[in-house]
Amino acid sequence: MDKFSRNQRVAAITKILIENPNKIINLNNFTDMFNAAKSTISEDLVVVKDILMKLSMGRIETISGAAGGVKYVCGLSYEKSKEFAEKLCIILKNRERIIPGNFLYMTDLMFNPQVIHTAGIILAASFIDKNVDYVVTVETKGIPLAYEVAKMLGVQLVVVRRETKVTEGSTLSINYVSGSSGRIQNMSLSKKAMNKGSKCVFVDDFMKAGGTALGIIDLLKEFDSELLGIGVLIDNVENPKKLIHHYVSIVDFKGIDENGEALLFPSKMFK
Amino acid sequence: MDKFSRNQRVAAITKILIENPNKIINLNNFTDMFNAAKSTISEDLVVVKDILMKLSMGRIETISGAAGGVKYVCGLSYEKSKEFAEKLCIILKNRERIIPGNFLYMTDLMFNPQVIHTAGIILAASFIDKNVDYVVTVETKGIPLAYEVAKMLGVQLVVVRRETKVTEGSTLSINYVSGSSGRIQNMSLSKKAMNKGSKCVFVDDFMKAGGTALGIIDLLKEFDSELLGIGVLIDNVENPKKLIHHYVSIVDFKGIDENGEALLFPSKMFK
């Protein structure tokens, strides 16, 4: 049987915990893997726990009982989160990002794994105590961010579609009114996608008036499910008639001024 | 200044490397963070390197030179990859997954972070030597998988859209013929999404005839860019007239037999 040093066990345990956020891992997995006593593994876990806390890199929680074990819970310090939001503002202020119609091109950020990984940790950390069953998003641009949040919360991602697809089986569709354009839009979700009576958070790239979020609340009602939180990367705070008031965002967008400069600030999370 | 034990440094270094796959991290980052000599950090890295190799959990590579450092390269043993493919087949064979039109419902798997994380590692490992600039996918179901592959390769994800969007700026659109239905379809990509002369891999959920992949090759030509590889989770091997011959897949789907059973097997990668 292979022998492992404490250093080696600590490295491997760290990797396994980090790769399974918010999933309880029974200590027997580690005692079997390393042919080590539970007390030895517990000491290894103290090392991991202490250093994550010391460096504000998330935390290790111990869950007692028969189904117990340890789990990694993601987190980022206030300072590092704020620094991330500030960096994002600088990147977004690049004048080449302004496109006809006074939109801000941000697709590259929504599909940049390093940006989305950090944003996902910040949003997930704000939902961690809600014990949700699903993270819900609407296609397309918010999918990687919602995926990261779902991964960090250890739950399934659900993607609401704009149109029904033959590969989805029976679907539930609703109409909703876009808060910014006032147009009626459609969203649909496979009946197989979600269990009845579920608790959800909604994650998206950008919040305008919040019509889409209201639509999600309606859609979830059809699944006897409820929305416990909303998180977006960028909040268009320029919009005066918000339909939704409780949500978290990372960056505030206040439109583009007369000099053609995009007004961007870390969100109220960092005030 | 804080003092850190070797155990603590090893845990923190493991976390940082794992969270930045295929990104070169200069050793100065670690010497500064832990107020430790380069030789000390090098010894820490040997511990991480050895245990990852011992447990087939990927590898640590050392890059020499001024821009050098260390990086984590993802990987999974042949046995664990095959075990994953076999598990996936069992899950997909559930009769409740067959939906009208003899389609297999697999959306939940494509949006399951634990499944997609492992699938992403397997596909990324097969592209790691190609030094690609982008991972490309077409909306919608393949986005999380393509995102994981992009993350593991340390590159940007590019999502080709079915329709042009006002938030994308100038776009390039092409028409292509779906290999299975024979219908003409459209795909478009923002001109800002990709630099000219790039090397790409295409990742998707499902391969039928390969018409979409051919479309991607045409679209990339418009960006003077080339496709170096294709990876899918599930390959419909029932389709006799494949338009594409070089690609990797994890699971083979051979249709649904007369008893209503889906025929699924680990792909030829595991033969």
Side-chain angles (χ1 to χ4, degrees):
Chain A
M1 183 64 102
D2 278 337
K3 276 281 181 195
F4 298 88
S5 68
R6 164 139 298 151
N7 293 328
Q8 290 184 320
R9 289 194 310 269
V10 162
I13 288 172
T14 301
K15 182 168 191 281
I16 292 164
L17 287 168
I18 300 302
E19 290 186 333
N20 294 282
N22 217 26
K23 294 281 187 190
I24 298 170
I25 299 177
N26 192 290
L27 261 57
N28 291 338
N29 286 297
F30 297 131
T31 55
D32 291 353
M33 178 176 252
F34 302 115
N35 189 27
K38 216 164 212 168
S39 58
T40 307
I41 298 297
S42 294
E43 286 167 28
D44 297 341
L45 286 165
V46 170
V47 173
V48 183
K49 196 170 184 166
D50 287 351
I51 189 68
L52 294 197
M53 192 181 291
K54 199 166 176 177
L55 297 177
S56 297
M57 284 177 155
R59 60 182 196 269
I60 304 295
E61 282 185 11
T62 307
I63 293 92
S64 52
V70 286
K71 65 175 182 177
Y72 162 67
V73 178
C74 75
L76 196 66
S77 68
Y78 173 85
E79 290 72 27
K80 285 206 175 134
S81 303
K82 190 176 178 184
E83 198 183 294
F84 171 76
E86 285 165 350
K87 259 191 207 162
L88 222 48
C89 290
I90 293 169
I91 295 170
L92 284 165
K93 276 180 184 168
N94 185 330
R95 280 169 184 262
E96 288 182 13
R97 290 188 171 273
I98 299 173
I99 52 181
N102 270 0
F103 293 106
L104 216 54
Y105 181 75
M106 44 180 245
T107 308
D108 57 330
L109 296 176
M110 296 313 301
F111 297 146
N112 178 320
Q114 286 201 304
V115 169
I116 292 308
H117 176 74
T118 306
I121 288 175
I122 296 171
L123 293 182
S126 74
F127 299 133
I128 200 84
D129 298 326
K130 295 193 190 288
N131 289 314
V132 300
D133 303 302
Y134 299 98
V135 172
V136 180
T137 192
V138 180
E139 59 181 338
T140 300
K141 285 211 317 249
I143 294 176
L145 180 59
Y147 171 81
E148 277 285 4
V149 175
K151 192 173 176 181
M152 290 297 157
L153 296 178
V155 301
Q156 173 83 26
L157 168 66
V158 167
V159 178
V160 175
R161 309 294 297 254
R162 294 288 179 189
E163 297 164 34
T164 59
K165 303 278 169 187
V166 289
T167 51
E168 298 289 314
S170 306
T171 55
L172 256 162
S173 290
I174 64 146
N175 293 311
Y176 70 100
V177 181
S178 161
S180 43
S181 69
R183 279 189 306 183
I184 291 189
Q185 309 221 32
N186 186 269
M187 54 169 86
S188 72
L189 186 59
S190 170
K191 290 190 78 172
K192 291 181 188 290
M194 187 180 288
N195 293 323
K196 297 256 172 193
S198 296
K199 295 184 284 180
C200 306
V201 291
F202 172 56
V203 171
D204 211 352
D205 55 336
F206 197 74
M207 162 86 80
K208 285 186 292 258
T212 307
L214 281 186
I216 290 288
I217 292 172
D218 280 351
L219 182 64
L220 290 181
K221 277 183 193 149
E222 298 288 337
F223 286 82
D224 297 334
S225 295
E226 55 172 335
L227 191 68
L228 297 186
I230 299 170
V232 297
L233 185 69
I234 302 175
D235 179 19
N236 185 346
V237 293
E238 205 192 14
N239 199 311
K241 38 170 195 166
K242 288 273 185 199
L243 305 170
I244 292 278
H245 302 284
H246 297 290
Y247 57 92
V248 291
S249 60
I250 295 176
V251 164
D252 281 354
F253 174 53
K254 294 192 178 169
I256 294 164
D257 73 9
E258 60 271 24
N259 300 317
E261 195 166 328
L263 305 170
L264 293 143
F265 309 90
S267 78
K268 60 181 178 294
M269 198 195 276
F270 307 107
K271 295 289 151 63
Chain B
M1 184 64 101
D2 277 339
K3 276 283 178 194
F4 298 88
S5 68
R6 163 140 298 153
N7 292 328
Q8 290 183 319
R9 288 194 309 269
V10 161
I13 289 173
T14 302
K15 182 168 192 283
I16 292 166
L17 287 168
I18 299 304
E19 290 186 333
N20 294 282
N22 217 27
K23 293 280 188 191
I24 298 170
I25 299 177
N26 192 289
L27 262 57
N28 290 337
N29 286 297
F30 296 131
T31 55
D32 291 353
M33 177 176 251
F34 301 116
N35 188 28
K38 216 163 212 168
S39 58
T40 307
I41 298 298
S42 293
E43 285 167 30
D44 297 342
L45 285 165
V46 169
V47 173
V48 182
K49 195 170 186 165
D50 286 352
I51 188 69
L52 293 197
M53 191 182 291
K54 199 165 176 176
L55 297 176
S56 298
M57 286 178 154
R59 62 183 195 268
I60 304 295
E61 281 186 12
T62 307
I63 293 92
S64 52
V70 286
K71 65 175 184 177
Y72 162 67
V73 177
C74 76
L76 197 65
S77 68
Y78 174 85
E79 290 72 28
K80 284 203 175 139
S81 303
K82 190 175 180 186
E83 199 183 294
F84 171 76
E86 284 164 349
K87 259 191 204 162
L88 222 48
C89 290
I90 293 168
I91 294 170
L92 283 165
K93 276 180 182 166
N94 185 330
R95 280 168 184 263
E96 289 182 13
R97 290 189 173 272
I98 298 173
I99 53 182
N102 271 1
F103 293 106
L104 215 53
Y105 181 75
M106 45 179 245
T107 307
D108 57 329
L109 296 177
M110 295 312 301
F111 297 147
N112 179 320
Q114 286 201 303
V115 169
I116 292 307
H117 176 74
T118 306
I121 289 174
I122 295 171
L123 293 182
S126 73
F127 298 135
I128 201 81
D129 297 326
K130 295 192 190 288
N131 290 313
V132 299
D133 304 301
Y134 300 98
V135 172
V136 180
T137 191
V138 180
E139 59 181 339
T140 299
K141 286 207 322 245
I143 294 177
L145 180 59
Y147 172 81
E148 278 286 4
V149 175
K151 193 173 174 180
M152 290 298 157
L153 296 179
V155 301
Q156 173 82 27
L157 168 66
V158 166
V159 178
V160 174
R161 308 294 297 256
R162 295 289 181 189
E163 297 164 35
T164 59
K165 303 278 171 187
V166 289
T167 52
E168 298 289 314
S170 306
T171 56
L172 256 162
S173 290
I174 64 143
N175 293 312
Y176 70 100
V177 181
S178 162
S180 43
S181 70
R183 278 188 309 180
I184 291 190
Q185 308 222 34
N186 186 268
M187 54 170 87
S188 73
L189 185 59
S190 171
K191 290 192 76 171
K192 290 180 188 292
M194 187 181 287
N195 293 323
K196 296 258 170 190
S198 297
K199 294 184 285 181
C200 305
V201 291
F202 172 56
V203 171
D204 211 352
D205 55 335
F206 197 74
M207 163 87 79
K208 285 186 292 259
T212 307
L214 281 186
I216 290 289
I217 292 172
D218 280 350
L219 182 64
L220 290 181
K221 277 183 194 150
E222 298 288 337
F223 286 82
D224 297 333
S225 296
E226 55 172 334
L227 191 67
L228 298 186
I230 299 171
V232 297
L233 185 69
I234 301 175
D235 179 18
N236 185 346
V237 292
E238 203 192 14
N239 199 311
K241 37 171 195 165
K242 289 273 186 198
L243 303 170
I244 292 278
H245 302 283
H246 297 290
Y247 56 92
V248 291
S249 60
I250 295 176
V251 164
D252 282 353
F253 175 53
K254 295 193 178 167
I256 294 164
D257 73 9
E258 60 271 26
N259 301 318
E261 194 166 328
L263 305 170
L264 291 143
F265 308 90
S267 77
K268 59 181 178 293
M269 199 194 277
F270 308 106
K271 294 291 149 62

